Amino acid sequence: MNRTEISGGLVRDPELTYMERSGSALCEITLAVNGARYNFEERQQEVTTSYIAIKAWGSLAEELAEADVSKGDELLVIGELEQRTIEKRDKSKESKTHVKALGFHVVRRRGAGPWRRAGAARH
């Protein structure tokens, strides 16, 4: 089974384009996902960041583009890993991996603390 869940912050605003031949919508985003690893030489935990490319197609692409999300917002994306091999001009091959989005959820909007939800009254 090829399923993955990625939670992280948007690196930039979503980019919506339409394919020239088919007219199909494509929305591309990148999520910054933090992790940790132990550095044995320094004897301490280090924060690591991975940048995950995500592509949404069709009506999901349009829904993501219209979700009013922007750089810094945190999303949860459910999808499938896809890998492509590209032949470059110099005839060398390069492998690229991304997540094909099947669904998403806005976890937190930039500037909103974890205690505040959209529309909540301020005290």
Side-chain angles (χ1 to χ4, degrees), residues 4-121:
T4 187
E5 293 183 10
I6 306 288
S7 180
L10 277 171
V11 173
R12 62 181 181 279
D13 293 350
E15 297 176 17
L16 179 65
T17 56
Y18 291 89
M19 299 293 98
E20 198 170 304
R21 289 185 178 165
S22 66
S24 183
L26 168 64
C27 186
E28 297 183 88
I29 62 173
T30 302
L31 293 183
V33 179
N34 291 331
R37 68 181 178 119
Y38 189 78
N39 182 329
F40 289 96
E41 292 177 8
E42 302 289 327
R43 296 183 182 205
Q44 63 183 5
Q45 285 282 96
E46 292 179 345
V47 174
T48 60
T49 303
S50 297
Y51 297 93
I52 310 298
I54 298 173
K55 296 181 180 187
W57 293 91
S59 60
L60 183 63
E62 292 172 333
E63 185 180 335
L64 180 56
E66 294 170 2
D68 194 32
V69 293
S70 59
K71 179 180 177 179
D73 291 348
E74 186 177 341
L75 298 181
L76 169 67
V77 175
I78 299 159
E80 301 173 338
L81 287 176
E82 286 191 342
Q83 185 174 25
R84 295 179 12 182
T85 300
I86 300 168
E87 187 172 317
K88 299 183 339 184
R89 288 187 179 140
D90 65 0
K91 303 294 181 190
S92 66
K93 292 186 179 182
E94 180 179 358
S95 178
K96 292 198 172 216
T97 303
H98 68 269
V99 173
K100 176 185 173 186
L102 301 174
F104 73 94
H105 176 74
V106 179
V107 175
R108 183 175 49 196
R109 299 203 185 270
R110 176 182 49 193
W115 60 90
R116 225 175 103 202
R117 291 178 291 182

